[in-house]
Amino acid sequence: MQETLPLFLDDPYLSTAEGRVAAVNDRGGILLDRTCFYATSGGQPGDIGFFEREDGSRIEIAATVNGQSKAEIVHVPSNEQAVPEIGETLALHIDWPRRYKLMRMHSACHLLTVVCPFPITGASVGEDESRVDFDMSEAIDKASVSEKLMELVEGNHPIFAKWIDEAELAANPGLVKSKNVRPPSGSGRIRLVCIGDEAGVDSQPCGGTHVSETAEIGAIHIGKIEKKGRENRRFRIRFGELPG
Ligand SMILES: [Zn+2]
């Protein structure tokens, strides 16, 4: 197994970095010693972008995924790309406008779980629209949810990560909001994403990338609330103001 240092965990704003080619797998996937490319996980799509070689030529990256374990990050080139040499140093460039939208959207999903404090049954972060599914039977008005979301955005609360150990998580079961997905156990450390001074707004386990202050999310609204079965509601978050 080839472990990759995930630079995006400490600095989600790193749009470029240098990485050394550690391996190329049998399907052409490129493994590096370190990367700023986020691998698809927890409902957030992996990064796309390109690697720049010493001679200035480019290797376009169409997807980033985990390999055999979460510690392994595989960069999947588009078709017909040159294969880099093992040991070669590459300048890594993520598609930053896309990633930044995903960071804003992902952060907005956390705020939605504050406004709607129900167990989460699914989530998917997208560039233009994200969805979060809740185990709830209550009828809820999208205008009032949108308004509460914007109060949290405009409150400009800090967003930061903090590591805790498994014992601390076990002592605080309320931190886990997902109904079916448990944070990975066995690794010893769990990354909590906190919102607000001293995490006063929210904290929950998450390995994704987020903006550092809620105001960066900008204008968002609930585009739609769908009923998915008797006890499930699907919320669709979109950028921009709620259309009047
Ligand atoms: Zn998150």
Side-chain angles (χ1 to χ4, degrees):
M1 191 185 69
Q2 179 59 51
E3 284 201 17
T4 316
L5 182 67
L7 300 170
F8 49 83
L9 282 185
D10 285 333
D11 186 0
Y13 290 88
L14 208 57
S15 60
T16 67
E18 268 193 359
R20 210 164 42 80
V21 179
V24 177
N25 71 20
D26 51 10
R27 281 158 309 187
I30 302 167
L31 289 91
L32 305 167
D33 61 340
R34 43 168 37 209
T35 189
C36 52
F37 278 60
Y38 180 77
T40 301
S41 173
Q44 182 181 334
D47 283 316
I48 60 173
F50 67 91
F51 294 167
E52 194 180 347
R53 307 182 79 180
E54 220 128 84
D55 65 4
S57 66
R58 289 181 173 197
I59 300 169
E60 301 291 337
I61 301 300
T64 309
V65 294
N66 283 124
Q68 286 158 348
S69 78
K70 280 281 267 188
E72 205 175 81
I73 296 177
V74 181
H75 307 81
V76 183
S78 314
N79 291 331
E80 317 277 325
Q81 302 288 304
V83 179
E85 306 287 334
I86 307 297
E88 184 176 339
T89 298
L90 300 167
L92 323 175
H93 300 268
I94 65 178
D95 178 338
W96 177 250
R98 173 181 178 274
R99 155 73 95 71
Y100 189 54
K101 276 193 210 168
L102 293 171
M103 282 165 55
R104 289 166 58 210
M105 268 297 191
H106 189 142
S107 307
C109 291
H110 282 245
L111 294 186
L112 181 58
T113 71
V114 175
V115 174
C116 295
F118 299 96
I120 302 162
T121 55
S124 170
V125 179
E127 279 171 77
D128 301 313
E129 184 182 275
S130 297
R131 64 167 177 80
V132 184
D133 297 342
F134 293 99
D135 181 351
M136 62 183 282
S137 50
E138 290 79 354
I140 196 158
D141 172 45
K142 67 179 185 185
S144 78
V145 175
S146 300
E147 202 177 298
K148 287 178 189 155
L149 281 174
M150 284 314 296
E151 273 171 30
L152 289 169
V153 169
E154 283 157 7
N156 201 19
H157 304 285
I159 304 181
F160 57 95
K162 176 179 139 185
W163 293 90
I164 60 168
D165 59 28
E166 286 180 23
E168 211 174 333
L169 184 70
N172 295 281
L175 289 171
V176 180
K177 297 185 172 190
S178 303
K179 198 179 174 195
N180 308 314
V181 188
R182 299 275 120 187
S185 64
S187 60
R189 295 197 316 158
I190 290 112
R191 183 177 187 251
L192 275 191
V193 171
C194 307
I195 306 179
D197 292 321
E198 291 170 38
V201 175
D202 188 45
S203 54
Q204 57 183 298
C206 184
T209 61
H210 313 81
V211 293
S212 63
E213 296 173 325
T214 58
E216 278 189 52
I217 296 168
I220 47 165
H221 66 277
I222 299 298
K224 217 174 180 185
I225 302 173
E226 292 158 272
K227 207 171 161 178
K228 294 272 167 194
R230 202 159 49 90
E231 298 199 343
N232 249 301
R233 295 289 179 278
R234 171 166 291 176
F235 287 65
R236 294 188 182 275
I237 308 175
R238 293 176 189 152
F239 284 127
E241 317 258 326
L242 182 70

